[in-house]
Amino acid sequence: MSQSLPKPPQGQCFHCLQPLPSDGGYKVNLAGSDYSVCCFGCQAVAETINQQNLLHFYQYRDTSNPLQVPLVPEELQQLEAYDDENLQHQFTRQIDGLRSISLSIEGMTCSACAWLIEQHTKRLPGVAQVQVNATTERVQVQWNPQLLQLSDILKAIAELGYRALPFQSVTQEQEFKKRRRYFVTRLGIAGLATMQVMMLAIGLYFGVVSDLDPQLRQFMWWISLFMATPVLLYSAQPFYVSAIRSIQAGRPNMDVPVTVALLSAYGASAYATIINEGDVYFESVAMFTFFLLVGRYFELLARQKAVSAAANLVKLIPAIAQQETSAGQVQSVAVSQLKPGDIVQVLPGATIPVDGELLSEATAVNESILTGESRLVAKHQNELVLAGSLNKTQPIRIRVTATAQQTVLASIIELQDLALSRKPKLARVAERMASKFVVRILMLAAATFLIWTVIDPAEAFWVTLSVLVATCPCALALAAPTAVTGAIHKLNKTGVLLRNADVLQILPEVKTIFVDKTGTLTTGEFVLQQAYYSQPDLQPHIDAVTQALERSSNHPLALPLQNLTKHVEHVTHMHSEAGMGLSGRWQTTDGHTTEVRLGSLRYIQQWHPNYQPQLSDAQVFLASEQDILAEYVVGDAVRADTQETIAQLQQAGLHIVMLTGDNREFALRVAAQLGISEVHANCLPADKLAILHKAQEHAPVAMIGDGLNDGPVLAQADVSITFGHAADLARTAADVILLRNQFSAITQFRTITQLARRILRQNITWALIYNIGILPVAMAGFVTPYIAAIGMSASSLIVLLNSLRLYR
């Protein structure tokens, strides 16, 4: 190995080919030999090249001109390019001082690969969180850029033999195409060889009955050996690589018994062919490989279907935007070059390229890419419009607030990746069972061999081989990932984002759902519902005084009272009293000055102690020292679909409890309208937490809230659900985010979750029944290797097809 690295002329640095210092410089050990380098820098780079398995850099570089010799391999130069801040802006996100990125991993084949990458990357200083998903071949990493460079993370993964690059939809599609070709070519060779070997095997089986000529039998054996060899050396290659990596990770996976079985069957058959004595099972080698590859290929297609939806979202954002310059001109620029504060123009029918503030008066947009709801949404001046939305009515101007990975659409995709990387408890149990099952299979196979050596030495090997093949836990390993991925895919299509995959298992067990009132059962958009004026002929003047006072308030109840009339009245010396209301001086057009108050009944009763409201629901009052001028009823409307949804949940046996900080009288009115029998009103966050905690002592509970003022109780609930309108999506901490701002999404979410858990349990039950049931039959010698291959493959395909029901 040491001779394979060409040495430079005497007195030159091995790395940079410059003269060595007089003391001989420093030493670096490469491929088992010591080489002289001129400085610490060359020593460090050479060691890095060795660690990255890039010693071919020294083998093939052109050393004819020492001044033009590259000092760093192209592979490492490419990784270091990702440390550029401008480049990182396109595919990383800032989260609480940390950077977050989604990486595509090339070469990942199973959960053992995922475990190995996760454990190795976690050890890097500065890495805060690593989550690897073998199903989508993606890694979510959060790190501190002050302590660690992105290129260091990519190099660390490269040390394990995997290639990691920032996830991009185009790259992902290319990778899937590459993987499909990878499997199709191997599958094609295995399929053709299997057909040929099976025809020869049929002839051999009939030859046993009809006394086949020994020379002809020997000839057919050699032809079978010739046909099966490409299958073993080429088609079965993915299983060998996966098995070796899983053993290196200390977690033997299902490809270990597969590899042992294939190599053993081929080796024994080849030996029998050479010595012209014994039995051959080349058809089992070819068939086993073919069926396994079919299962892996279908798994790849299911995986591609699961992640393509999110990838397609990214592709819908245009790469070019029309930027407005300071001179008022419009120029085409790459979206990646835009920064917050820039102004862009979007024509009707065009896709909005960035998140931004609407500068035009109004427009209507289609946000189906984000919410799954195709109806048009009205947007007014200063409101947020989102990247990926379709502008429908007129040309608009937008002030950029976020681009690339900072947009809400990017956060949706990140949340999907997060959900896919988090396995529910049942899935983790199945994965551990599959891992332990492999070790036990190897032990039972060894025991089977020893027992049959005593019973019938000639059959010991083939019975053992059948045990290895028949009991390979492929179905058990596929049971959970395929079901979970399918469920998340289906939920995303309906506008539901899952942050915690444990919800798939917990939600069907929930019997009590706590719901907040404002913004959950109701729209959260306050409107003026009723008004009373003591002097109706002065209504425009009274409304003008009210809106003048309310425009200095940011209370939610003030919003609908800030634009009551176009009439203007002068109010000065305004003062706010916390928890009470506002006061000021009303200067009338005839020169009179009147002290006025606007606020709660208690505030007004300081001037008028015996006053009783004319409107029983009034919350806001306007008064002078002489008289009550107006009463206002402000409220938010119940969501259009809430009543029907509540009824459906109750019919399903769920107990609905209202948990709100609002006034009890208002809460009871909404509860009566919706048929909710249990109401807890006037609750502080601590009160909500105590009520929820008490209920959790008996069974898991769910909490539906707006995710802002219900933070503690959402965190406490076993399942927390929020209506994540896009503006709040990135900072919500709920387990489930309903992108469509509709209460009815809860029933759809619950239905899909129940189906997913049912399929997950069916998969695991079937896999266990098959593996446990086939074991004694195989150990008893009633299953031949090729029948075992068919049975194992059929069980895996059944699990896969069952999970695909979630994609309908």
Side-chain angles (χ1 to χ4, degrees):
M1 182 69 180
S2 59
Q3 295 177 354
S4 63
L5 297 182
K7 291 186 177 182
Q10 188 70 24
Q12 286 187 0
C13 172
F14 174 74
H15 178 69
C16 69
L17 304 182
Q18 300 304 307
L20 291 170
S22 56
D23 60 0
Y26 304 88
K27 297 292 183 181
V28 60
N29 188 280
L30 304 173
S33 300
D34 288 332
Y35 296 90
S36 298
V37 292
C38 61
C39 62
F40 277 124
C42 287
Q43 184 185 49
V45 174
E47 288 174 349
T48 300
I49 291 171
N50 185 35
Q51 292 169 1
Q52 300 296 322
N53 297 317
L54 299 175
L55 289 179
H56 59 273
F57 167 71
Y58 292 117
Q59 294 174 333
Y60 303 113
R61 62 178 178 172
D62 182 8
T63 60
S64 59
N65 187 348
L67 296 178
Q68 295 183 355
V69 171
L71 299 183
V72 181
E74 184 180 353
E75 292 94 327
L76 291 182
Q77 291 176 359
Q78 290 175 349
L79 295 183
E80 289 172 358
Y82 287 109
D83 293 334
D84 181 78
E85 289 291 329
N86 294 327
L87 187 60
Q88 283 192 23
H89 179 73
Q90 298 179 30
F91 46 75
T92 64
R93 292 174 56 82
Q94 293 282 356
I95 303 176
D96 299 328
L98 300 175
R99 288 234 174 125
S100 175
I101 190 172
S102 178
L103 298 172
S104 293
I105 303 295
E106 187 178 314
M108 189 189 303
T109 57
C110 62
S111 57
C113 299
W115 182 87
L116 181 62
I117 293 170
E118 188 170 308
Q119 297 304 313
H120 185 71
T121 311
K122 274 182 180 177
R123 299 191 185 103
L124 298 176
V127 171
Q129 187 178 25
V130 182
Q131 290 178 321
V132 186
N133 182 18
T135 303
T136 60
E137 299 179 359
R138 301 249 277 277
V139 179
Q140 289 287 327
V141 185
Q142 288 186 13
W143 82 98
N144 186 338
Q146 304 297 325
L147 302 176
L148 190 68
Q149 294 288 339
L150 176 57
S151 60
D152 295 328
I153 299 173
L154 302 179
K155 290 174 185 176
I157 296 174
E159 288 175 1
L160 302 174
Y162 304 93
R163 186 167 178 258
L165 292 174
F167 166 72
Q168 292 178 320
S169 59
V170 176
T171 305
Q172 185 79 3
E173 283 195 0
Q174 291 173 347
E175 179 60 24
F176 270 124
K177 288 179 180 178
K178 182 179 176 182
R179 295 282 289 172
R180 279 203 303 271
R181 287 196 299 269
Y182 178 83
F183 275 106
V184 166
T185 53
R186 284 163 173 76
L187 193 58
I189 289 174
L192 289 172
T194 300
M195 287 189 290
Q196 303 304 319
V197 175
M198 281 301 298
M199 285 192 293
L200 292 170
I202 291 172
L204 289 168
Y205 292 146
F206 280 112
V208 172
V209 180
S210 60
D211 294 327
L212 187 68
D213 181 74
Q215 290 185 341
L216 180 58
R217 186 194 68 171
Q218 173 76 352
F219 175 74
M220 294 174 73
W221 279 9
W222 277 103
I223 295 297
S224 298
L225 172 64
F226 175 76
M227 298 301 298
T229 299
V231 177
L232 184 88
L233 298 180
Y234 180 72
S235 296
Q237 195 177 79
F239 312 128
Y240 309 148
V241 174
S242 174
I244 292 171
R245 284 175 174 167
S246 70
I247 293 171
Q248 289 175 337
R251 292 180 45 159
N253 65 358
M254 62 185 181
D255 287 329
V256 173
V258 166
T259 298
V260 173
L262 285 173
L263 294 177
S264 301
Y266 179 84
S269 299
Y271 179 73
T273 300
I274 293 170
I275 66 172
N276 195 21
E277 184 179 336
D279 296 313
V280 297
Y281 279 93
F282 290 118
E283 78 282 359
S284 296
V285 172
M287 188 185 299
F288 186 33
T289 304
F290 176 73
F291 282 131
L292 272 175
L293 285 171
V294 168
R296 297 290 170 88
Y297 182 67
F298 279 123
E299 182 187 354
L300 177 69
L301 295 181
R303 183 187 303 168
Q304 181 181 7
K305 194 170 185 179
V307 299
S308 62
N312 288 337
L313 294 182
V314 179
K315 290 190 293 183
L316 290 177
I317 297 182
I320 302 296
Q322 303 303 313
Q323 182 185 18
E324 191 176 295
T325 66
S326 56
Q329 302 295 320
V330 177
Q331 61 181 7
S332 297
V333 298
V335 172
S336 59
Q337 295 178 2
L338 294 174
K339 54 185 182 297
D342 289 344
I343 295 176
V344 297
Q345 295 183 7
V346 182
L347 296 174
T351 301
I352 298 173
V354 295
D355 286 359
E357 178 186 353
L358 182 62
L359 300 180
S360 304
E361 279 193 19
T363 190
V365 298
N366 184 328
E367 294 183 338
S368 58
I369 186 177
L370 302 160
T371 66
E373 182 63 45
S374 59
R375 65 184 177 86
L376 294 182
V377 178
K379 294 289 183 179
H380 300 94
Q381 195 171 38
N382 300 326
E383 287 188 345
L384 184 70
V385 292
L386 303 171
S389 303
L390 196 64
N391 180 35
K392 297 296 289 187
T393 56
Q394 60 187 356
I396 57 174
R397 298 171 67 243
I398 300 170
R399 180 181 288 113
V400 177
T401 59
T403 63
Q405 291 300 305
Q406 313 309 317
T407 62
V408 168
L409 184 60
S411 71
I412 291 175
I413 296 167
E414 185 175 5
L415 287 175
Q416 175 179 291
D417 289 342
L418 195 63
L420 288 168
S421 65
R422 292 177 175 174
K423 305 181 184 75
K425 185 177 179 181
L426 196 59
R428 294 194 295 270
V429 170
E431 192 175 276
R432 286 196 297 270
M433 288 171 61
S435 179
K436 292 178 181 178
F437 208 80
V438 167
V439 177
R440 285 167 173 74
I441 285 172
L442 294 173
M443 294 171 64
L444 285 170
T448 301
F449 182 78
L450 293 175
I451 293 170
W452 274 89
T453 301
V454 175
I455 298 173
D456 186 353
E459 293 295 321
F461 177 80
W462 302 112
V463 173
T464 304
L465 181 63
S466 297
V467 170
L468 284 172
V469 174
T471 57
C472 176
C474 297
L476 191 58
L478 286 173
T482 53
V484 172
T485 303
I488 292 172
H489 167 76
K490 192 171 185 68
L491 288 169
N492 288 345
K493 284 186 68 177
T494 58
V496 178
L497 288 182
L498 209 63
R499 289 176 60 94
N500 184 358
D502 275 334
V503 169
L504 296 175
Q505 185 175 346
I506 298 171
L507 187 65
E509 300 174 3
V510 168
K511 298 301 179 186
T512 303
I513 298 180
F514 290 89
V515 291
D516 182 37
K517 183 179 77 69
T518 305
T520 303
L521 297 174
T522 62
T523 61
E525 299 174 357
F526 289 97
V527 295
L528 179 62
Q529 295 179 336
Q530 197 174 359
Y532 164 78
Y533 302 94
S534 60
Q535 303 176 53
D537 56 322
L538 295 178
Q539 177 184 339
H541 303 279
I542 293 172
D543 283 345
V545 173
T546 299
Q547 75 180 12
L549 288 165
E550 290 290 31
R551 283 178 176 175
S552 63
S553 171
N554 57 6
H555 193 281
L557 294 180
L559 294 176
L561 301 177
Q562 290 176 352
N563 294 286
L564 291 174
T565 179
K566 293 183 179 180
H567 191 77
V568 177
E569 292 288 342
H570 298 285
V571 181
T572 60
H573 297 82
M574 286 185 288
H575 176 70
S576 174
E577 293 192 32
M580 302 293 284
L582 300 156
S583 63
R585 291 180 185 174
W586 175 16
Q587 296 179 347
T588 62
T589 54
D590 57 6
H592 288 86
T593 300
T594 303
E595 295 288 339
V596 291
R597 282 185 175 182
L598 180 73
S600 66
L601 178 61
R602 185 174 56 169
Y603 189 36
I604 300 305
Q605 284 177 338
Q606 291 178 0
W607 280 351
H608 307 280
N610 301 320
Y611 180 75
Q612 294 301 318
Q614 301 299 308
L615 302 176
S616 60
D617 298 337
Q619 311 110 303
V620 183
F621 301 83
L622 177 67
S624 65
E625 290 182 293
Q626 293 77 33
D627 193 12
I628 304 297
L629 301 176
E631 299 176 9
Y632 298 98
V633 177
V634 177
D636 56 340
V638 173
R639 291 177 186 269
D641 56 352
T642 301
Q643 187 170 359
E644 182 182 354
T645 303
I646 292 291
Q648 290 174 350
L649 293 173
Q650 289 172 335
Q651 288 172 5
L654 294 168
H655 180 50
I656 310 298
V657 180
M658 184 188 291
L659 204 59
T660 178
D662 284 357
N663 182 285
R664 183 169 183 79
E665 183 180 349
F666 300 142
L668 288 173
R669 189 182 302 115
V670 173
Q673 182 180 346
L674 298 175
I676 298 175
S677 58
E678 185 176 346
V679 178
H680 298 274
N682 298 314
C683 293
L684 296 172
D687 300 327
K688 292 183 178 183
L689 206 58
I691 295 168
L692 191 82
H693 185 70
K694 185 176 180 180
Q696 281 180 307
E697 294 175 358
H698 308 289
V701 301
M703 174 68 196
I704 308 174
D706 59 17
L708 299 174
N709 55 359
D710 291 322
V713 74
L714 283 170
Q716 176 67 30
D718 299 281
V719 177
S720 54
I721 304 170
T722 188
F723 291 92
H725 196 287
D728 301 322
L729 185 61
R731 59 177 183 264
T732 186
D735 297 322
V736 182
I737 301 161
L738 307 177
L739 289 178
R740 287 199 344 235
N741 214 16
Q742 298 175 354
F743 201 80
S744 58
I746 293 170
T747 54
Q748 195 172 22
F749 164 55
R750 187 169 178 270
T751 301
I752 295 172
T753 301
Q754 288 175 319
L755 175 63
R757 190 175 78 153
R758 188 159 62 248
I759 287 177
L760 180 58
R761 287 186 168 183
Q762 288 171 354
N763 285 352
I764 293 175
T765 301
W766 162 252
L768 287 173
I769 289 174
Y770 167 77
N771 281 103
I772 294 173
I774 197 69
L775 183 60
V777 179
M779 291 182 70
F782 296 122
V783 178
T784 60
Y786 75 89
I787 294 295
I790 294 173
M792 183 279 305
S793 301
S795 68
S796 299
L797 287 174
I798 288 171
V799 164
L800 193 61
L801 292 173
N802 192 38
S803 297
L804 287 175
R805 290 195 294 143
L806 285 163
Y807 290 89
R808 293 182 198 163

